[in-house]
Each structure stands twice: as C-alpha cells, then as structure tokens.
Amino acid sequence: MFKKYKTLKWIGISLVALIVIVVSFGFWFMSLIPSKDTKLTTVTIKDLPYLSENRIPAKGKILAIVTSTNTMGYEGKSTGYELTELARAYYVFMANGFNVDIASPKGGKPPVVIDWEDMGAFDYAFLNDSIAQHKTNNTIELKEIKEEDYVAVYFVGGKGAMFDFPDNEHIQTIVRNYYQSNKVIGAVCHGPAALVNVSLDNGRSLVENKKISSFTNEEELLFIPEAETVFPFLLEDKLVSKGAKFNEGAMYLEKISHDSNLITGQNPWSVWTLAETMVKQLGYTPKQRAITAEENAVEILSVYHNKGLQKAKETIKRIAKKEKKYIDRALIAKHSIVAVMQGNIGQFLDILKITSYAKKYDIATTKI
C-alpha cells in the first residue's frame, strides 16, 4: 500500500513539474514576440514615404484579379482573396506609376481573408485608403474588362481562386492574349490556378515547359490535411500534370519564378519581389523602397535553411547595424511552430534560438 502511495505521489509531482515547465516555456516563448504597435491601424498613405514622396508619372494600368468564391470544400469553410497579397502588390504598382483596377469573376464586393497577425503598415494603409476600398467594394466584372486598357495582369491568391479561376473563360482569354502579345502576367500563391487550363493558339498548354511557382502541396497539406477533398485539385499537382517545371522553395518563405513575361510566386511572402519583378519586366527600374520587417525575417529564415544557424545570427547582426532596419520576430517564431508540426525538433530549437537572438538586439517588429 505504501509503495503504491509513493508511486502515485511521484506521478503527481512529475505532472505538476511538467505543467510548470510547459507554462514557463509558454511565458518565455511569448516574451520573444513583441506586441504590435496599435498605431499601425491608423497608418495612411501620407505616413508612407514610399507612396507619398517622389511620385512617378503615370505609365499605364495594371489589372488585379481576385476571386469571387466565399466558401471552399464540402464543409463550406469561408474563403476569399488574401488582403495582403492584393495590398502590397497594389502599392508597388502605384508607387511605380501604374494605376490599378481590380476585377473579379462576379464583380461587386468580393470576399476577403484578413490575417490580422500578418498585417503590416501597407496593409492597414490599404484598409484606410478610400480609393482602394472603393475599388475592392466595387470590383469590375470580368466580362466588362477591356483587355487593351492594361499593360499587365496580376492574379491575387486566396484559396477561393482554386474554385473560380481555372475554368473561367474570361480569365483564360485574358491570359492567352496577354501571353501571346508579350504583356506581363503575374500570379501568386493560389493565383496561378488562373493558368492551369489555358491553352495557346497552337493548342499547347500555357504552362508547358514553363518555370512556375505556386503554393506547394507541402504547404497546403500541413494545415489542411484533407486538402485533396476540399479543393478540386492540388495546385502543384495540376501544374506539373500540365507540363510545368515546378519551382519550389522553402516552406512559407519567398520564392518566385520568372519565365519571360510570366512571373509567379509561391506564397504571400513572395508578393513584394514578384510585384517589383513585374515592374522590371515592364521595362522600368522599381522605385527604391525600405525593406519591411517581414522581409528581413524571411531573409534570416532563408539564410538559416540554406546556410545554418550561425549564418542566420550573422545576418541578424548585419541587419541590426543598419539604420531603420527591423525584424518581424513574430514571423520567425511562427516558423518554429511549423517545425514542430513537421516533427523537426532540431529545427524548432534552432529557430527559437534565432528569435531569441533577434530579441537580444531589441529589433522591433512594427516599424515601417
């Protein structure tokens, strides 16, 4: 009896100790992530020198296309276009002298997905921009689009695009005509769903033998294990089946593919580079822009994946030495959670060290 009591006692002590360790780790982990500056929510174009200063004369118009689909899969989960994927490209285009019209398959006000944790200064500025909001609340129906009015088209991501982009005849016509007339085509994340069923005048698939990036199977299945039943297809699989040379980067980090006038990006973290690459393909040098805290975090994580922990720390030190250079520590910390979900404990511990190292330099997360 005494032995049984002693065993239960030690089990109880062990459970309490485990709870204390877990709670302590939780508090420590949260201490690595600075709270967002509430002033971000009031940011406007006037607060962003990239948009308000040294304005570039108008060069033409770019058409941005978003999904009209508001639910996905048999469970009817809500979806739409990703606000960050529209807002950031929209402002790159505007800053470089291109007016932007926004269209959708059905026109009117399309459904939007806002990931508040990922929102930055430009995203809040977009929400506070009366002109941008008028455009998103009153998108042009695709059948009303005049193709000759635009020098480029940009397909915004969002899981809804998987449902109403692939078989839309207006999208197929725009993409085919733009590609064959050497106009620029951009698409990010799930946006390349617009390309999968486009055939050229010679009968060949548009994406055949083209280097393409999009949201990957690995990225899709990590958070939606049942994705193969939720979506009509997995985007990577569909592109490959059509003959694309799929170009995959690290999970949830920047990756773009540039194949002639076709420019595609893997995920939301690819938007800045993709939009500026579109500007270059249009024949212009992109306006100089301050690198965002998010982009610095992505650079550090990319260095870690390619060159290891020590090089990642050296990158943090380099960024810290530059004036007005900031790091989104929350984004780095999220990648530690991704590592756990993948069962990679070593990577999890490394990324925690990277996050802690960035905190050591006290580099803020919310500065512009």
Side-chain angles (χ1 to χ4, degrees):
M1 183 71 180
F2 176 75
K3 186 175 181 181
K4 182 179 180 181
Y5 169 77
K6 189 174 181 181
T7 300
L8 290 173
K9 178 182 177 181
W10 279 110
I11 290 174
I13 292 172
S14 299
L15 287 173
V16 170
L18 180 61
I19 291 170
V20 170
I21 291 170
V22 169
V23 171
S24 298
F25 173 80
F27 279 112
W28 175 79
F29 182 81
M30 293 307 297
S31 74
L32 298 178
I33 306 172
S35 57
K36 279 200 171 185
D37 187 346
T38 55
K39 292 179 181 178
L40 273 180
T41 61
T42 62
V43 168
T44 67
I45 289 176
K46 293 180 180 179
D47 300 314
L48 302 170
Y50 176 63
L51 302 174
S52 61
E53 298 176 2
N54 304 316
R55 295 192 176 185
I56 295 175
K59 295 186 175 75
K61 294 204 301 184
I62 293 177
L63 179 65
I65 298 179
V66 301
T67 180
S68 291
T69 299
N70 60 6
T71 58
M72 61 178 180
Y74 60 87
E75 293 182 355
K77 296 179 180 179
S78 63
T79 188
Y81 73 88
E82 292 283 345
L83 182 131
T84 58
E85 294 178 22
L86 174 60
R88 297 171 190 184
Y90 177 93
Y91 282 137
V92 167
F93 299 148
M94 294 291 289
N96 284 280
F98 296 95
N99 289 320
V100 182
D101 284 345
I102 303 173
S104 65
K106 294 181 180 179
K109 185 176 182 178
V112 60
V113 174
I114 302 178
D115 189 338
W116 295 104
E117 292 182 358
D118 290 338
M119 292 284 282
F122 287 87
D123 309 310
Y124 283 111
F126 189 82
L127 290 180
N128 296 325
D129 184 338
S130 60
I131 295 175
Q133 289 306 296
H134 178 77
K135 290 180 180 181
T136 55
N137 290 332
N138 301 275
T139 62
I140 305 167
E141 190 172 357
L142 280 178
K143 68 180 182 180
E144 304 297 330
I145 290 298
K146 295 180 180 179
E147 294 178 25
E148 63 273 15
D149 288 349
Y150 306 96
V151 297
V153 63
Y154 169 64
F155 291 98
V156 180
K159 296 185 187 335
M162 294 286 287
F163 297 91
D164 61 357
F165 278 11
D167 297 316
N168 186 284
E169 61 181 17
H170 302 293
I171 286 177
Q172 292 176 4
T173 299
I174 290 170
V175 172
R176 177 170 53 252
N177 291 344
Y178 276 31
Y179 183 79
Q180 294 180 156
S181 60
N182 208 36
K183 288 188 175 182
V184 176
I185 300 167
V188 73
C189 200
H190 290 91
L195 312 176
V196 297
N197 290 330
V198 177
S199 295
L200 301 177
D201 287 347
N202 62 11
R204 307 294 288 268
S205 169
L206 167 74
V207 301
E208 185 177 344
N209 292 320
K210 303 295 191 309
K211 189 165 68 171
I212 304 284
S213 294
S214 78
F215 210 59
T216 68
N217 287 355
E218 188 179 23
E219 289 170 325
E220 199 79 85
L221 292 167
L222 184 66
F223 284 100
I224 307 180
E226 70 278 17
E228 292 180 86
T229 58
V230 170
F231 299 107
F233 50 81
L234 294 180
L235 187 49
E236 177 184 338
D237 285 349
K238 177 65 77 171
L239 287 164
V240 170
S241 74
K242 296 287 184 173
K245 298 176 181 177
F246 196 78
N247 188 23
E248 181 176 354
M251 183 178 280
Y252 303 124
L253 294 177
E254 177 194 309
K255 184 68 176 181
I256 72 160
S257 292
H258 185 182
D259 195 318
S260 185
N261 58 325
L262 185 61
I263 303 159
T264 51
Q266 182 168 318
N267 48 44
W269 296 273
S270 309
V271 172
W272 292 108
T273 300
L274 185 147
E276 289 178 333
T277 303
M278 289 180 66
V279 171
K280 291 177 184 176
Q281 183 64 28
L282 286 163
Y284 302 96
T285 300
K287 182 179 180 180
Q288 188 172 1
R289 173 179 61 82
I291 299 302
T292 65
E294 174 194 67
E295 290 173 283
N296 283 326
V298 167
E299 179 188 356
I300 291 162
L301 287 165
S302 295
V303 169
Y304 165 69
H305 284 291
N306 292 319
K307 299 180 179 180
L309 178 60
Q310 186 56 41
K311 290 294 184 181
K313 289 182 176 181
E314 291 173 11
T315 303
I316 291 173
K317 290 174 69 174
R318 173 176 57 77
I319 291 172
K321 290 178 181 179
K322 294 183 179 181
E323 185 180 2
K324 294 185 178 179
K325 292 292 182 180
Y326 304 98
I327 296 173
D328 188 341
R329 295 205 309 266
L331 178 55
I332 297 177
K334 285 180 185 178
H335 276 256
S336 70
I337 298 172
V338 170
V340 170
M341 294 177 69
Q342 294 177 293
N344 193 331
I345 302 304
Q347 192 174 103
F348 164 71
L349 295 173
D350 279 351
I351 295 176
L352 285 182
K353 291 175 185 177
I354 292 170
T355 311
S356 180
Y357 197 74
K359 182 183 178 182
K360 172 183 174 183
Y361 283 89
D362 196 29
I363 306 175
T365 185
T366 57
K367 299 295 184 182
I368 298 169

